[in-house]
Amino acid sequence: SHLLASSFPTGESDGYSDFSDSVGTEGPAKDILLVQQLRVELIDKDQKLNAATRQHELDMEEQRTLRDDQAYERQMERQHYEQTLQNIQDEYEGLQTKLVMEVESLRAKQHEIESQVPRLKQELAISKQQLQQLSLSDVGYRELVKTPEDQLSLRDFVRVRVYEEVRECREAVSYTHLRAHETPEHLVCRLLLEKKKKIIYY
């Protein structure tokens, strides 16, 4: 019994100071009671340890969940930014393609206009030449107007009317009487029609 008593710690702080005395004085009944007390204390400590372990596991699980949520949010934000960037790039490429097409269209129109310039210049030169051929001096006009219209040739009739049209334009104060969009061909046709109407009228 003394050897058993010496194997347990002594002192007031650990709650076993009376163990050696009880073993020597009380007998086996006291030993059984002490063992039961120790068993209860061990069970209580084991329960506390299990509770602390479970709490620790819950805390760790909560931290893992929090980290997973944060990682998921970062992933979603990254995907959103990547999608936004892709949309911007697609829009930029679309605008760039449209710009290239518009530039090519403008170049084609410019080339078409430039290709028409020689023809337009040639038509302008022909129109000027036709107008010069229809030009009439004041003396020539006075001589032609003396001739009856039914005796005038078509060329002389047109020359007289062109001279009168030009004279009216020169004498007009404003340009409201000008036929801005009338080409020489249209002028000749109009004059011929007027001559035809006068012949029919008379």
Side-chain angles (χ1 to χ4, degrees):
S1 62
H2 292 290
L3 291 176
L4 180 61
S6 63
S7 63
F8 287 92
T10 58
E12 297 179 358
S13 60
D14 54 12
Y16 305 118
S17 57
D18 298 333
F19 180 78
S20 58
D21 296 335
S22 62
V23 171
T25 57
E26 298 295 333
K30 193 69 173 179
D31 294 340
I32 293 172
L33 180 62
L34 181 60
V35 169
Q36 292 177 351
Q37 292 177 352
L38 292 174
R39 183 179 299 169
V40 171
E41 292 179 0
L42 288 174
I43 292 173
D44 182 64
K45 290 181 180 180
D46 186 63
Q47 292 177 351
K48 291 181 179 180
L49 180 61
N50 291 333
T53 301
R54 287 194 298 272
Q55 185 63 38
H56 177 69
E57 292 177 354
L58 292 175
D59 294 339
M60 293 297 295
E61 183 65 24
E62 184 178 358
Q63 292 180 3
R64 284 193 297 270
T65 303
L66 181 61
R67 287 196 301 268
D68 293 340
D69 292 341
Q70 292 176 349
Y72 177 76
E73 291 178 358
R74 288 194 297 268
Q75 182 180 1
M76 294 300 296
E77 290 179 356
R78 183 169 59 253
Q79 291 178 356
H80 175 70
Y81 293 148
E82 290 176 354
Q83 185 64 38
T84 303
L85 180 60
Q86 184 64 39
N87 293 337
I88 294 174
Q89 290 178 349
D90 294 341
E91 183 178 1
Y92 172 76
E93 291 177 357
L95 293 175
Q96 190 175 15
T97 303
K98 183 178 179 181
L99 179 61
V100 171
M101 294 176 61
E102 291 180 353
V103 170
E104 291 179 353
S105 177
L106 291 175
R107 287 178 178 175
K109 291 181 180 179
Q110 181 181 4
H111 179 71
E112 181 181 358
I113 293 174
E114 291 176 351
S115 64
Q116 294 177 357
V117 168
R119 180 180 59 82
L120 295 174
K121 288 182 177 180
Q122 184 178 4
E123 292 179 357
L124 179 61
I126 294 173
S127 299
K128 288 181 178 179
Q129 185 178 2
Q130 291 175 350
L131 288 175
Q132 290 175 357
Q133 292 175 356
L134 294 175
S135 63
L136 185 64
S137 64
D138 295 338
V139 177
Y141 172 74
R142 285 192 294 269
E143 292 179 355
L144 289 177
V145 293
K146 295 177 182 179
T147 305
E149 289 187 359
D150 57 349
Q151 296 180 5
L152 289 174
S153 64
L154 289 177
R155 181 175 182 275
D156 291 337
F157 175 78
V158 171
R159 292 175 68 192
V160 170
R161 294 307 306 272
V162 168
Y163 178 88
E164 293 175 351
E165 290 283 341
V166 173
R167 182 180 61 185
E168 291 178 0
C169 293
R170 291 175 179 174
E171 293 175 353
V173 178
S174 65
Y175 293 96
T176 55
H177 301 291
L178 292 177
R179 299 176 183 269
H181 302 287
E182 190 174 45
T183 64
E185 293 81 2
H186 294 163
L187 176 61
V188 172
C189 292
R190 181 168 59 84
L191 296 176
L192 291 174
L193 288 174
E194 290 180 0
K195 179 176 176 61
K196 183 177 180 181
K197 289 179 182 178
K198 287 185 178 180
I199 293 174
I200 293 174
Y201 177 75
Y202 288 110

